[in-house]
Amino acid sequence: MGKILVIGAGGVGSVAVHKMAQLQAAGRDTFAHIVLASRTVAKCEAIAQSVKERTGVTIETHALDADDVPATVALINQVAPDLVCNLALPYQDLAIMDACLETGVHYMDTANYEPRDEAKFEYHWQWAYHDRFKEAGIMALLGSGFDPGVTSVFAAYLKKHYLDRIDTLDILDCNGGDHGQHFATNFNPEINIREVTAPARHWENGEWVETPALSHKQTFDFEGVGEKNMYLMYHEEIESLKTHIPEIQRIRFWMTFGDAYLTHLEVLQNVGMTRIDPVIYEGKEIIPLQFLKAVLPEPASLGETTKGKTNIGDIATGIAKDGSEKTYYINNICDHEAAYAETGNQAVSYTTGVPAMIGAALILDGVWSGEGVFNMEQMDPDPFMEMLNQHGLPWQVKELDGPLDF
Amino acid sequence: MGKILVIGAGGVGSVAVHKMAQLQAAGRDTFAHIVLASRTVAKCEAIAQSVKERTGVTIETHALDADDVPATVALINQVAPDLVCNLALPYQDLAIMDACLETGVHYMDTANYEPRDEAKFEYHWQWAYHDRFKEAGIMALLGSGFDPGVTSVFAAYLKKHYLDRIDTLDILDCNGGDHGQHFATNFNPEINIREVTAPARHWENGEWVETPALSHKQTFDFEGVGEKNMYLMYHEEIESLKTHIPEIQRIRFWMTFGDAYLTHLEVLQNVGMTRIDPVIYEGKEIIPLQFLKAVLPEPASLGETTKGKTNIGDIATGIAKDGSEKTYYINNICDHEAAYAETGNQAVSYTTGVPAMIGAALILDGVWSGEGVFNMEQMDPDPFMEMLNQHGLPWQVKELDGPLDF
């Protein structure tokens, strides 16, 4: 008889709550009570209505400013959930963790904390909560989305079943979807643009190698999508994977971008519209990137028109059980239109919301447990991998002829 | 003993006031008293200081919100000028004309009135003041900048001295300057982008022909600059020239833009940053184009780094005095660095500010006079053309082999 409080009513929150409700409708009691809270209660209500129509399940909704720790504490005390599932903005991770500590309730999120005034994607802020969560006897599970999340579990799965030692790991994130807009981001534009315009960093031979944003390009033929240009980027799971699978010599993260997207981004950077420091406009401080977000299409509005597939996975090279060097590619392919038909959200939200539901289910069912702060790859990958196959994100492993040649 | 009130302390206001002060310093009494007013009095004071340093002339400064007609009336009454020279934004033309009517003082500007909420460049609003100016016994001179202004006088000059009948007129505006920035506009970005993104219109065989913005391109070799792509655009002097030189069959206006400028503009349009309707941001209405202006470089800040030349002029084909068909090209070439060295402003401000000074001088000296509202081409071009040569904008006329082949 699990009770979950989900905070955040964007596309990811919508998918996660729909999937939780599907489990309830199927007779499992993991998500016996589902509560959804967000700054804008109308967004929660719209999701609740869709969930009711699609699954027959009723969810409870609340208005909550998750930056306000006492308000979050009060809502947790009122709702008394077994787990708080944070699907709000990364800025709010620490505030929600504080509220969980104060109320003694497990915590889970899908993206690491970022300070608002600086695009820094680092785990140290959240890892610093480990001892306090341990003392409180509760668990914080960080990054149960697709990347981080599924990509982290993929690495743990390869390590458990295929490779005794992983030497190199490449995470390849391809979105082959076309939303028919000149320019739009597939999730929160502010978070997306902060991430894409940050310098690229990868881990190699015991140190970070930093290169300018979008300066390293490779072409890769993605199954279900075709050939795409992908660019070396920093992504938060590199930091946790190099910590928890310490033998890895090199970890890189690649994301695909079309030329038009990059041209738009370059221009927006050139003119200063991606700045995250405030400018004075009519006597008021306004952050250009946040204003840009207000002008760009709402990512949620793109679902209806987006066609194509995502293809995200890990390529790992290392020493197999038999002592030989092997390279494996493990990935999921997700269809935008199918995702939209099922939950009213496209694949970028779907691929993050489903793993959020799975991480939450494993905590609520007691399959994954611990006291302290944990990343995904520290958990047993098998039950998570099984649920991916059952709940809409089937994966495949194949052996490649050899390591990547770049 | 002329007394002038200049409203507007941007680049054009700065150039105009510097040039007026040069005349005063040279012993002419046309601009015996120079008063400069602007919303931001600090901008006036900075110009006054530069004028003092460069010419030794002291100018008077005032703060004025030119949207506020009673405030403008009060300042006109206090200053008692012989002429109000409006170098503020085009939005303020009507308010300042109202103040001139109320105080019985001559009016002059460099750009036609535009409503803030619609990018319409039409003279009818200002022409509607004709009878009232006539009854008040005062003159309003519209558009005494370069284009409109010099380009209008060029047409009148060709008509007076070279061509009995003008059949076709093309105005070619080339800015070959390089400011070293990714993207910036050479004058007020808001006004510039409104103009560039408006549909192109030209006058042909008695009617307006409208085509999409930036859809007609021609390459032209500009003396002092080189080959440039220029684009058909609408520009306000077409409307007055087709009215005052009614035999002209076709009038077109062309402006040069580099590929990078157009790419930036296209992206900014695509994402909605050039919109002039408000979006709601944090509960407040903000017009994206005005916010963009706050993020882009101040045009005034570009002067120091801008190199290259402008080349603006008219090409007219018609019937010469001897009855044969002739084509003449009349133009001015202006150097950004020389303009900056002289007045602290680059050539785009210089080429507008100098004609503003000349138009003002001709009114104050009684050389140009009238009761009502007038466009530049209605005045005798000769004294204006002589002053262009004397005050920094020398021009040349040459006969071309034949009409333009496009």
Side-chain angles (χ1 to χ4, degrees), chain B residues 2 4 17-35 51 55-59 391:
Chain B
I4 189 159
V17 166
H18 277 88
K19 299 300 282 195
M20 291 169 186
Q22 284 178 11
L23 261 70
Q24 191 191 113
R28 274 178 66 167
D29 68 355
T30 306
F31 301 105
H33 291 96
I34 304 167
V35 183
V51 167
T55 66
V57 169
T58 301
I59 67 169
H391 297 284

Side-chain angles (χ1 to χ4, degrees), chain B residues 9-284:
Chain B
V12 175
S14 175
V15 170
V17 166
H18 277 88
K19 299 300 282 195
M20 291 169 186
Q22 284 178 11
L23 261 70
Q24 191 191 113
R28 274 178 66 167
D29 68 355
T30 306
F31 301 105
H33 291 96
I34 304 167
V35 183
L36 178 62
S38 155
R39 194 181 304 267
T40 311
V41 74
K43 285 186 169 183
C44 302
E45 286 159 2
I47 293 171
Q49 193 185 331
S50 168
V51 167
K52 185 79 183 173
E53 284 163 14
R54 290 173 194 265
T55 66
V57 169
T58 301
I59 67 169
E60 188 182 325
T61 60
H62 291 274
L64 174 68
D65 173 1
D67 286 317
D68 180 345
V69 177
T72 308
V73 166
L75 184 64
I76 294 174
N77 284 331
Q78 180 191 335
V79 168
D82 301 301
L83 171 66
V84 173
C85 176
N86 166 21
L87 306 177
L89 293 181
Y91 311 135
Q92 287 145 355
D93 289 1
L94 301 187
I96 298 173
M97 289 176 84
D98 287 335
C100 285
L101 274 174
E102 198 169 329
T103 52
V105 176
H106 299 310
Y107 169 88
M108 199 207 96
D109 66 31
T110 63
N112 70 350
Y113 170 73
E114 288 172 45
R116 279 184 203 265
D117 57 352
E118 206 183 356
K120 276 219 176 293
F121 309 90
E122 296 171 3
Y123 271 117
H124 63 83
W125 290 285
Q126 289 182 280
W127 284 347
Y129 279 69
H130 180 73
D131 289 348
R132 280 177 282 161
F133 269 75
K134 191 171 175 181
E135 283 157 27
I138 53 174
M139 178 182 198
L141 180 66
L142 306 185
S144 188
F146 207 105
D147 41 340
V150 177
T151 54
S152 322
V153 174
F154 280 171
Y157 185 82
L158 289 176
K159 168 91 176 162
K160 182 173 178 182
H161 298 287
Y162 290 83
L163 295 167
D164 276 350
R165 191 184 85 203
I166 301 181
D167 294 325
T168 65
L169 180 69
D170 287 272
I171 300 170
L172 280 62
D173 180 335
C174 168
N175 180 3
D178 178 4
H179 46 55
Q181 298 279 326
H182 286 299
F183 181 76
T185 60
N186 292 296
F187 61 100
N188 187 312
E190 184 186 340
I191 307 298
N192 179 241
I193 290 174
R194 281 165 74 108
E195 186 176 270
V196 176
T197 57
R201 269 201 301 170
H202 70 276
W203 181 257
E204 190 159 0
N205 298 325
E207 59 185 15
W208 290 114
V209 180
E210 188 165 306
T211 48
L214 304 168
S215 59
H216 278 58
K217 175 169 82 168
Q218 291 291 342
T219 303
F220 192 85
D221 191 1
F222 289 92
E223 185 185 340
V225 175
E227 279 211 343
K228 286 275 173 186
N229 290 328
M230 63 183 193
Y231 296 81
L232 194 64
M233 273 182 59
Y234 180 68
H235 221 245
E236 63 208 75
E237 63 262 49
I238 299 178
E239 186 184 13
S240 71
L241 286 166
K242 68 108 179 155
T243 304
H244 298 122
I245 311 180
E247 81 267 16
I248 303 185
Q249 308 269 314
R250 190 187 70 202
I251 313 182
R252 300 182 298 190
F253 182 94
W254 306 85
M255 193 177 273
T256 60
F257 300 105
D259 290 345
Y261 178 94
L262 294 176
T263 299
H264 279 70
L265 194 65
E266 187 186 349
V267 165
L268 293 169
Q269 279 191 283
N270 284 347
V271 302
M273 282 305 302
T274 60
R275 286 166 53 182
I276 60 175
D277 58 312
V279 301
I280 303 298
Y281 179 76
E282 292 184 353
K284 200 181 156 193

